[in-house]
Amino acid sequence: MKIAEIQEEILRLKKEKNICILAHAYQGHEILEVADYTGDSYGLSVQASKSDCEGILMCGVRFMAETCKILSPDKKVWLPNPTAGCPMAEQLTVEELRELKKKYPGYAVVAYINTTSELKTECDVCVTSASAVEICRRLDHDKILFIPDPNLGHFVAEQIPEKTFAFYNGGCPRHAAVTGEETEKAKAAHPGALLLMHPECRPEVVAYADYVGSTTGIMSYVEKSEAEEFIIGTENSIVEHLQFSYPEKRFYPLSVALTCMDMKVTTLMDIYNCLKGQGGEEILLSQDIMDGAEKCIRRMVELG
Ligand code: SF4
């Protein structure tokens, strides 16, 4: 089958079965083309929860499909490729977090949304990269234990100097791999380009950026900017999507390291097979996990 033929079959099957397809922005463009909604993980889950579809296919990684299930408990949710995990979301276990909490008594535990639903049951509130600063600012607590990404945590802490922060030494292996040296090289190669970066990159690298924000923030920045050239300091699919949206502008990847293979493991054939009932995994969570994680997410909505 050719790509266009598979896409056509996917569109036919999802309509026939009343299934909504979500595609995270780090998926390839051929997957975005068959999706009902595209964007950041939390926004996608909210959109799907408001849809009258009977089932949801989350093209992204496992924690995203779990968030989807928590916000749409009455719908069936599938992860088209069950091996699609996120190393950052899965790098801290519940037991390790309990030990960490003992070291920081009196601290509010703030979890990046990129965590497993099981881990969220042990946290006070979760945040997205777009809402992290505002939510940490609005929390009653003066002391915050930020997990699992210390880079996003430092970015938040810098903007709220009146609060005390502690961090877990984790993070996104893709964004954290970008070096200052390659950032200087990219800037020298494209002196007229603006550098847009995700706060999951290390603080010393983020210091070079003209704009720092979430994936959605970066895409909106480009939409509003009159600049002609941009170096993109987040997952490399964003370079591709932006180039499709603005063919008259130029977009350059900051680093090859910013290609997330966990995101790329999902293919059109996985989606096709999942829709046919011959692949993928239905996300099933225990009621305890659903309730505990939902509380953590609800707190984010209240504060955000
Ligand atoms: S880019 Fe980083 S945080 Fe996002 S899915 Fe890949 S490993 Fe996880």
Side-chain angles (χ1 to χ4, degrees):
M1 281 170 102
K2 292 191 170 162
I3 289 176
E5 289 168 341
I6 303 168
Q7 287 177 319
E8 223 167 89
E9 271 302 285
I10 289 173
L11 295 175
R12 185 185 66 74
L13 283 167
K14 75 167 181 156
K15 194 171 171 196
E16 183 184 300
K17 301 191 171 192
N18 193 18
I19 287 175
C20 167
I21 298 183
L22 307 179
H24 188 270
Y26 294 172
Q27 300 285 290
H29 208 78
E30 72 288 357
I31 292 180
L32 261 65
E33 284 179 350
V34 296
D36 295 276
Y37 303 105
T38 64
D40 274 340
S41 67
Y42 178 66
L44 290 176
S45 297
V46 172
Q47 301 262 32
S49 70
K50 292 178 184 162
S51 150
D52 60 4
C53 62
E54 284 166 41
I56 304 165
L57 240 83
M58 168 52 96
C59 306
V61 291
R62 184 169 292 272
F63 80 84
M64 299 176 180
E66 290 183 354
T67 306
C68 223
K69 181 68 187 170
I70 290 159
L71 296 194
S72 298
D74 300 329
K75 291 173 183 157
K76 286 191 170 208
V77 176
W78 292 274
L79 186 63
N81 186 324
T83 65
C86 166
M88 167 151 71
E90 292 157 21
Q91 63 198 175
L92 185 57
T93 65
V94 168
E95 291 69 34
E96 285 165 339
L97 177 57
R98 286 184 186 144
E99 286 306 307
L100 198 61
K101 282 162 77 170
K102 283 185 202 159
K103 276 173 77 187
Y104 297 101
Y107 280 62
V109 183
V110 175
Y112 192 14
I113 191 111
N114 299 27
T115 41
T116 62
S117 47
E118 193 186 12
L119 208 65
K120 288 185 180 84
T121 63
E122 290 280 325
C123 301
D124 294 295
V125 62
C126 62
V127 295
T128 63
S129 50
S131 66
V133 174
E134 222 32 62
I135 288 175
C136 289
R137 191 172 276 137
R138 286 182 191 162
L139 265 180
D140 288 339
H141 295 69
D142 287 336
K143 293 178 181 171
I144 291 170
L145 171 59
F146 194 97
I147 64 155
D149 184 1
N151 295 334
L152 176 62
H154 277 112
F155 174 74
V156 174
E158 259 182 16
Q159 296 174 68
I160 318 175
E162 65 279 14
K163 295 202 179 191
T164 304
F165 281 77
F167 306 104
Y168 172 68
N169 190 22
C172 165
R174 322 293 174 206
H175 287 83
V178 181
T179 65
E181 197 184 339
E182 63 189 332
T183 307
E184 279 177 15
K185 259 192 194 165
K187 281 176 78 88
H190 309 292
L194 292 178
L195 173 60
L196 316 183
M197 293 198 84
H198 197 285
E200 285 174 22
C201 293
R202 288 184 288 125
E204 61 271 30
V205 180
V206 165
Y208 289 97
D210 296 292
Y211 169 79
V212 186
S214 65
T215 305
T216 306
I218 288 175
M219 294 177 100
S220 314
Y221 184 95
V222 170
E223 190 185 350
K224 290 177 198 141
S225 172
E226 288 182 0
E228 302 278 307
E229 294 179 85
F230 303 88
I231 303 165
I232 302 300
T234 190
E235 213 282 333
N236 282 327
S237 280
I238 302 301
V239 180
E240 183 191 21
H241 305 324
L242 284 169
Q243 195 64 81
F244 272 101
S245 298
Y246 307 99
E248 70 290 357
K249 300 197 175 198
R250 301 296 303 275
F251 300 92
Y252 311 107
L254 171 58
S255 168
V256 174
L258 281 166
T259 304
C260 177
M261 293 319 292
D262 299 280
M263 279 286 183
K264 300 294 177 284
V265 82
T266 301
T267 64
L268 274 180
M269 285 312 285
D270 291 330
I271 301 169
Y272 176 61
N273 288 332
C274 189
L275 281 169
K276 284 199 301 179
Q278 293 172 0
E281 179 186 323
E282 184 184 348
I283 300 295
L284 300 168
L285 299 169
S286 73
Q287 199 55 50
D288 281 356
I289 290 184
M290 292 278 283
D291 293 345
E294 198 260 340
K295 205 170 138 204
C296 178
I297 295 170
R298 194 165 6 97
R299 187 91 179 102
M300 168 174 79
V301 177
E302 286 163 9
L303 287 167

PDB file of all heavy atoms in Angstrom, residues 24 26 61 63-64 85-89 112 114 171-175 200 235 260-263, ligand 1:
ATOM      1  N   HIS A  24       0.192  13.874  18.678  1.00  0.00           N
ATOM      2  CA  HIS A  24       1.087  14.835  19.331  1.00  0.00           C
ATOM      3  C   HIS A  24       1.962  15.484  18.255  1.00  0.00           C
ATOM      4  O   HIS A  24       2.282  14.861  17.230  1.00  0.00           O
ATOM      5  CB  HIS A  24       1.971  14.123  20.367  1.00  0.00           C
ATOM      6  CG  HIS A  24       2.764  15.075  21.199  1.00  0.00           C
ATOM      7  ND1 HIS A  24       4.025  15.491  20.822  1.00  0.00           N
ATOM      8  CD2 HIS A  24       2.468  15.724  22.342  1.00  0.00           C
ATOM      9  CE1 HIS A  24       4.478  16.356  21.722  1.00  0.00           C
ATOM     10  NE2 HIS A  24       3.541  16.517  22.663  1.00  0.00           N
ATOM     11  N   TYR A  26       4.952  15.929  18.014  1.00  0.00           N
ATOM     12  CA  TYR A  26       6.240  15.293  17.722  1.00  0.00           C
ATOM     13  C   TYR A  26       6.090  14.079  16.790  1.00  0.00           C
ATOM     14  O   TYR A  26       7.057  13.372  16.526  1.00  0.00           O
ATOM     15  CB  TYR A  26       6.938  14.833  19.011  1.00  0.00           C
ATOM     16  CG  TYR A  26       7.373  15.941  19.948  1.00  0.00           C
ATOM     17  CD1 TYR A  26       7.866  15.646  21.216  1.00  0.00           C
ATOM     18  CD2 TYR A  26       7.303  17.283  19.588  1.00  0.00           C
ATOM     19  CE1 TYR A  26       8.272  16.645  22.092  1.00  0.00           C
ATOM     20  CE2 TYR A  26       7.696  18.286  20.458  1.00  0.00           C
ATOM     21  CZ  TYR A  26       8.176  17.963  21.713  1.00  0.00           C
ATOM     22  OH  TYR A  26       8.569  18.942  22.580  1.00  0.00           O
ATOM     23  N   VAL A  61       3.043   9.032  23.191  1.00  0.00           N
ATOM     24  CA  VAL A  61       3.654   8.028  24.066  1.00  0.00           C
ATOM     25  C   VAL A  61       2.699   7.680  25.207  1.00  0.00           C
ATOM     26  O   VAL A  61       1.674   8.329  25.402  1.00  0.00           O
ATOM     27  CB  VAL A  61       5.033   8.506  24.591  1.00  0.00           C
ATOM     28  CG1 VAL A  61       6.058   8.548  23.462  1.00  0.00           C
ATOM     29  CG2 VAL A  61       4.937   9.864  25.255  1.00  0.00           C
ATOM     30  N   PHE A  63       2.338   7.867  28.526  1.00  0.00           N
ATOM     31  CA  PHE A  63       1.740   8.720  29.567  1.00  0.00           C
ATOM     32  C   PHE A  63       0.633   9.609  28.968  1.00  0.00           C
ATOM     33  O   PHE A  63      -0.309   9.988  29.654  1.00  0.00           O
ATOM     34  CB  PHE A  63       2.816   9.553  30.303  1.00  0.00           C
ATOM     35  CG  PHE A  63       3.264  10.793  29.575  1.00  0.00           C
ATOM     36  CD1 PHE A  63       2.543  11.975  29.677  1.00  0.00           C
ATOM     37  CD2 PHE A  63       4.415  10.793  28.798  1.00  0.00           C
ATOM     38  CE1 PHE A  63       2.955  13.118  28.999  1.00  0.00           C
ATOM     39  CE2 PHE A  63       4.830  11.917  28.132  1.00  0.00           C
ATOM     40  CZ  PHE A  63       4.091  13.090  28.226  1.00  0.00           C
ATOM     41  N   MET A  64       0.750   9.934  27.694  1.00  0.00           N
ATOM     42  CA  MET A  64      -0.259  10.769  27.037  1.00  0.00           C
ATOM     43  C   MET A  64      -1.576   9.998  26.891  1.00  0.00           C
ATOM     44  O   MET A  64      -2.663  10.546  27.102  1.00  0.00           O
ATOM     45  CB  MET A  64       0.226  11.216  25.657  1.00  0.00           C
ATOM     46  CG  MET A  64       1.482  12.052  25.736  1.00  0.00           C
ATOM     47  SD  MET A  64       2.109  12.473  24.113  1.00  0.00           S
ATOM     48  CE  MET A  64       3.541  13.433  24.593  1.00  0.00           C
ATOM     49  N   GLY A  85       7.018   4.569  24.707  1.00  0.00           N
ATOM     50  CA  GLY A  85       7.080   5.101  26.077  1.00  0.00           C
ATOM     51  C   GLY A  85       7.840   6.410  26.079  1.00  0.00           C
ATOM     52  O   GLY A  85       8.326   6.853  25.043  1.00  0.00           O
ATOM     53  N   CYS A  86       7.940   7.037  27.231  1.00  0.00           N
ATOM     54  CA  CYS A  86       8.747   8.256  27.348  1.00  0.00           C
ATOM     55  C   CYS A  86       9.757   8.023  28.461  1.00  0.00           C
ATOM     56  O   CYS A  86       9.371   7.837  29.620  1.00  0.00           O
ATOM     57  CB  CYS A  86       7.856   9.460  27.680  1.00  0.00           C
ATOM     58  SG  CYS A  86       8.808  10.886  28.242  1.00  0.00           S
ATOM     59  N   PRO A  87      11.058   8.032  28.140  1.00  0.00           N
ATOM     60  CA  PRO A  87      12.076   7.778  29.166  1.00  0.00           C
ATOM     61  C   PRO A  87      11.980   8.746  30.336  1.00  0.00           C
ATOM     62  O   PRO A  87      12.249   8.362  31.482  1.00  0.00           O
ATOM     63  CB  PRO A  87      13.399   7.962  28.426  1.00  0.00           C
ATOM     64  CG  PRO A  87      13.079   7.999  26.987  1.00  0.00           C
ATOM     65  CD  PRO A  87      11.630   8.288  26.815  1.00  0.00           C
ATOM     66  N   MET A  88      11.582   9.996  30.079  1.00  0.00           N
ATOM     67  CA  MET A  88      11.477  10.947  31.199  1.00  0.00           C
ATOM     68  C   MET A  88      10.303  10.572  32.110  1.00  0.00           C
ATOM     69  O   MET A  88      10.440  10.557  33.331  1.00  0.00           O
ATOM     70  CB  MET A  88      11.291  12.376  30.694  1.00  0.00           C
ATOM     71  CG  MET A  88      10.878  13.322  31.809  1.00  0.00           C
ATOM     72  SD  MET A  88      11.373  14.996  31.600  1.00  0.00           S
ATOM     73  CE  MET A  88      10.341  15.543  30.280  1.00  0.00           C
ATOM     74  N   ALA A  89       9.149  10.255  31.515  1.00  0.00           N
ATOM     75  CA  ALA A  89       7.956   9.959  32.318  1.00  0.00           C
ATOM     76  C   ALA A  89       8.169   8.729  33.193  1.00  0.00           C
ATOM     77  O   ALA A  89       7.571   8.607  34.263  1.00  0.00           O
ATOM     78  CB  ALA A  89       6.759   9.756  31.399  1.00  0.00           C
ATOM     79  N   TYR A 112       5.641  17.442  36.428  1.00  0.00           N
ATOM     80  CA  TYR A 112       5.448  17.753  35.016  1.00  0.00           C
ATOM     81  C   TYR A 112       4.420  16.739  34.492  1.00  0.00           C
ATOM     82  O   TYR A 112       4.418  15.578  34.927  1.00  0.00           O
ATOM     83  CB  TYR A 112       6.804  17.591  34.318  1.00  0.00           C
ATOM     84  CG  TYR A 112       6.921  18.115  32.917  1.00  0.00           C
ATOM     85  CD1 TYR A 112       5.969  18.963  32.360  1.00  0.00           C
ATOM     86  CD2 TYR A 112       8.021  17.759  32.132  1.00  0.00           C
ATOM     87  CE1 TYR A 112       6.108  19.433  31.059  1.00  0.00           C
ATOM     88  CE2 TYR A 112       8.174  18.230  30.833  1.00  0.00           C
ATOM     89  CZ  TYR A 112       7.208  19.057  30.307  1.00  0.00           C
ATOM     90  OH  TYR A 112       7.349  19.514  29.030  1.00  0.00           O
ATOM     91  N   ASN A 114       4.482  15.115  32.003  1.00  0.00           N
ATOM     92  CA  ASN A 114       5.240  13.974  31.451  1.00  0.00           C
ATOM     93  C   ASN A 114       5.687  13.043  32.572  1.00  0.00           C
ATOM     94  O   ASN A 114       6.882  12.870  32.840  1.00  0.00           O
ATOM     95  CB  ASN A 114       6.490  14.464  30.703  1.00  0.00           C
ATOM     96  CG  ASN A 114       6.175  15.345  29.534  1.00  0.00           C
ATOM     97  OD1 ASN A 114       5.145  16.014  29.515  1.00  0.00           O
ATOM     98  ND2 ASN A 114       7.048  15.363  28.547  1.00  0.00           N
ATOM     99  N   GLY A 171      14.993  14.235  33.644  1.00  0.00           N
ATOM    100  CA  GLY A 171      14.908  15.100  32.473  1.00  0.00           C
ATOM    101  C   GLY A 171      14.730  14.342  31.176  1.00  0.00           C
ATOM    102  O   GLY A 171      14.838  13.111  31.138  1.00  0.00           O
ATOM    103  N   CYS A 172      14.438  15.079  30.129  1.00  0.00           N
ATOM    104  CA  CYS A 172      14.249  14.491  28.792  1.00  0.00           C
ATOM    105  C   CYS A 172      15.622  14.237  28.170  1.00  0.00           C
ATOM    106  O   CYS A 172      16.392  15.185  27.960  1.00  0.00           O
ATOM    107  CB  CYS A 172      13.435  15.446  27.912  1.00  0.00           C
ATOM    108  SG  CYS A 172      13.532  14.994  26.169  1.00  0.00           S
ATOM    109  N   PRO A 173      15.930  12.980  27.856  1.00  0.00           N
ATOM    110  CA  PRO A 173      17.262  12.689  27.303  1.00  0.00           C
ATOM    111  C   PRO A 173      17.511  13.368  25.958  1.00  0.00           C
ATOM    112  O   PRO A 173      18.672  13.578  25.585  1.00  0.00           O
ATOM    113  CB  PRO A 173      17.267  11.157  27.165  1.00  0.00           C
ATOM    114  CG  PRO A 173      15.845  10.729  27.256  1.00  0.00           C
ATOM    115  CD  PRO A 173      15.103  11.772  28.008  1.00  0.00           C
ATOM    116  N   ARG A 174      16.450  13.677  25.210  1.00  0.00           N
ATOM    117  CA  ARG A 174      16.641  14.332  23.892  1.00  0.00           C
ATOM    118  C   ARG A 174      16.980  15.815  24.083  1.00  0.00           C
ATOM    119  O   ARG A 174      17.985  16.297  23.581  1.00  0.00           O
ATOM    120  CB  ARG A 174      15.389  14.239  23.021  1.00  0.00           C
ATOM    121  CG  ARG A 174      14.637  12.949  23.107  1.00  0.00           C
ATOM    122  CD  ARG A 174      15.387  11.769  22.537  1.00  0.00           C
ATOM    123  NE  ARG A 174      14.600  10.569  22.821  1.00  0.00           N
ATOM    124  CZ  ARG A 174      15.076   9.361  22.931  1.00  0.00           C
ATOM    125  NH1 ARG A 174      16.363   9.135  22.808  1.00  0.00           N
ATOM    126  NH2 ARG A 174      14.278   8.342  23.175  1.00  0.00           N
ATOM    127  N   HIS A 175      16.121  16.517  24.802  1.00  0.00           N
ATOM    128  CA  HIS A 175      16.355  17.956  24.969  1.00  0.00           C
ATOM    129  C   HIS A 175      17.634  18.221  25.779  1.00  0.00           C
ATOM    130  O   HIS A 175      18.362  19.177  25.506  1.00  0.00           O
ATOM    131  CB  HIS A 175      15.147  18.621  25.649  1.00  0.00           C
ATOM    132  CG  HIS A 175      13.948  18.743  24.745  1.00  0.00           C
ATOM    133  ND1 HIS A 175      13.066  17.711  24.546  1.00  0.00           N
ATOM    134  CD2 HIS A 175      13.501  19.773  23.986  1.00  0.00           C
ATOM    135  CE1 HIS A 175      12.122  18.102  23.695  1.00  0.00           C
ATOM    136  NE2 HIS A 175      12.360  19.354  23.342  1.00  0.00           N
ATOM    137  N   GLU A 200      12.873  22.293  28.308  1.00  0.00           N
ATOM    138  CA  GLU A 200      13.442  21.002  28.712  1.00  0.00           C
ATOM    139  C   GLU A 200      14.938  20.935  28.363  1.00  0.00           C
ATOM    140  O   GLU A 200      15.638  20.019  28.782  1.00  0.00           O
ATOM    141  CB  GLU A 200      12.712  19.845  28.010  1.00  0.00           C
ATOM    142  CG  GLU A 200      11.340  19.562  28.590  1.00  0.00           C
ATOM    143  CD  GLU A 200      10.577  18.503  27.788  1.00  0.00           C
ATOM    144  OE1 GLU A 200      11.203  17.721  27.070  1.00  0.00           O
ATOM    145  OE2 GLU A 200       9.339  18.494  27.879  1.00  0.00           O
ATOM    146  N   GLU A 235      11.853  19.162  19.558  1.00  0.00           N
ATOM    147  CA  GLU A 235      11.821  17.936  18.755  1.00  0.00           C
ATOM    148  C   GLU A 235      11.732  18.251  17.256  1.00  0.00           C
ATOM    149  O   GLU A 235      10.991  19.147  16.838  1.00  0.00           O
ATOM    150  CB  GLU A 235      10.642  17.072  19.210  1.00  0.00           C
ATOM    151  CG  GLU A 235      10.881  15.582  19.103  1.00  0.00           C
ATOM    152  CD  GLU A 235      10.744  15.024  17.710  1.00  0.00           C
ATOM    153  OE1 GLU A 235       9.987  15.621  16.898  1.00  0.00           O
ATOM    154  OE2 GLU A 235      11.398  14.009  17.396  1.00  0.00           O
ATOM    155  N   CYS A 260      13.165  12.462  18.697  1.00  0.00           N
ATOM    156  CA  CYS A 260      12.730  11.527  19.741  1.00  0.00           C
ATOM    157  C   CYS A 260      12.268  10.223  19.100  1.00  0.00           C
ATOM    158  O   CYS A 260      11.191  10.159  18.509  1.00  0.00           O
ATOM    159  CB  CYS A 260      11.610  12.128  20.576  1.00  0.00           C
ATOM    160  SG  CYS A 260      11.009  10.944  21.807  1.00  0.00           S
ATOM    161  N   MET A 261      13.080   9.174  19.233  1.00  0.00           N
ATOM    162  CA  MET A 261      12.745   7.895  18.603  1.00  0.00           C
ATOM    163  C   MET A 261      11.540   7.242  19.283  1.00  0.00           C
ATOM    164  O   MET A 261      10.845   6.442  18.664  1.00  0.00           O
ATOM    165  CB  MET A 261      13.963   6.944  18.635  1.00  0.00           C
ATOM    166  CG  MET A 261      15.121   7.421  17.767  1.00  0.00           C
ATOM    167  SD  MET A 261      14.650   8.114  16.156  1.00  0.00           S
ATOM    168  CE  MET A 261      14.027   6.672  15.303  1.00  0.00           C
ATOM    169  N   ASP A 262      11.285   7.580  20.521  1.00  0.00           N
ATOM    170  CA  ASP A 262      10.094   7.036  21.201  1.00  0.00           C
ATOM    171  C   ASP A 262       8.823   7.572  20.547  1.00  0.00           C
ATOM    172  O   ASP A 262       7.810   6.894  20.465  1.00  0.00           O
ATOM    173  CB  ASP A 262      10.133   7.406  22.684  1.00  0.00           C
ATOM    174  CG  ASP A 262      11.349   6.816  23.347  1.00  0.00           C
ATOM    175  OD1 ASP A 262      11.328   5.630  23.671  1.00  0.00           O
ATOM    176  OD2 ASP A 262      12.369   7.534  23.475  1.00  0.00           O
ATOM    177  N   MET A 263       8.891   8.804  20.084  1.00  0.00           N
ATOM    178  CA  MET A 263       7.753   9.399  19.385  1.00  0.00           C
ATOM    179  C   MET A 263       7.643   8.852  17.964  1.00  0.00           C
ATOM    180  O   MET A 263       6.562   8.734  17.416  1.00  0.00           O
ATOM    181  CB  MET A 263       7.932  10.920  19.311  1.00  0.00           C
ATOM    182  CG  MET A 263       7.524  11.628  20.574  1.00  0.00           C
ATOM    183  SD  MET A 263       5.723  11.630  20.671  1.00  0.00           S
ATOM    184  CE  MET A 263       5.496  12.565  22.157  1.00  0.00           C
TER     185      MET A 263
HETATM  186  S1  SF4 B   1      10.887  14.301  23.581  1.00  0.00           S
HETATM  187 FE1  SF4 B   1      11.597  13.746  25.651  1.00  0.00          FE
HETATM  188  S2  SF4 B   1       9.843  14.113  26.993  1.00  0.00           S
HETATM  189 FE2  SF4 B   1       9.065  14.038  24.868  1.00  0.00          FE
HETATM  190  S3  SF4 B   1       8.460  11.892  24.591  1.00  0.00           S
HETATM  191 FE3  SF4 B   1      10.569  12.095  23.834  1.00  0.00          FE
HETATM  192  S4  SF4 B   1      11.823  11.499  25.621  1.00  0.00           S
HETATM  193 FE4  SF4 B   1       9.758  11.940  26.403  1.00  0.00          FE
END
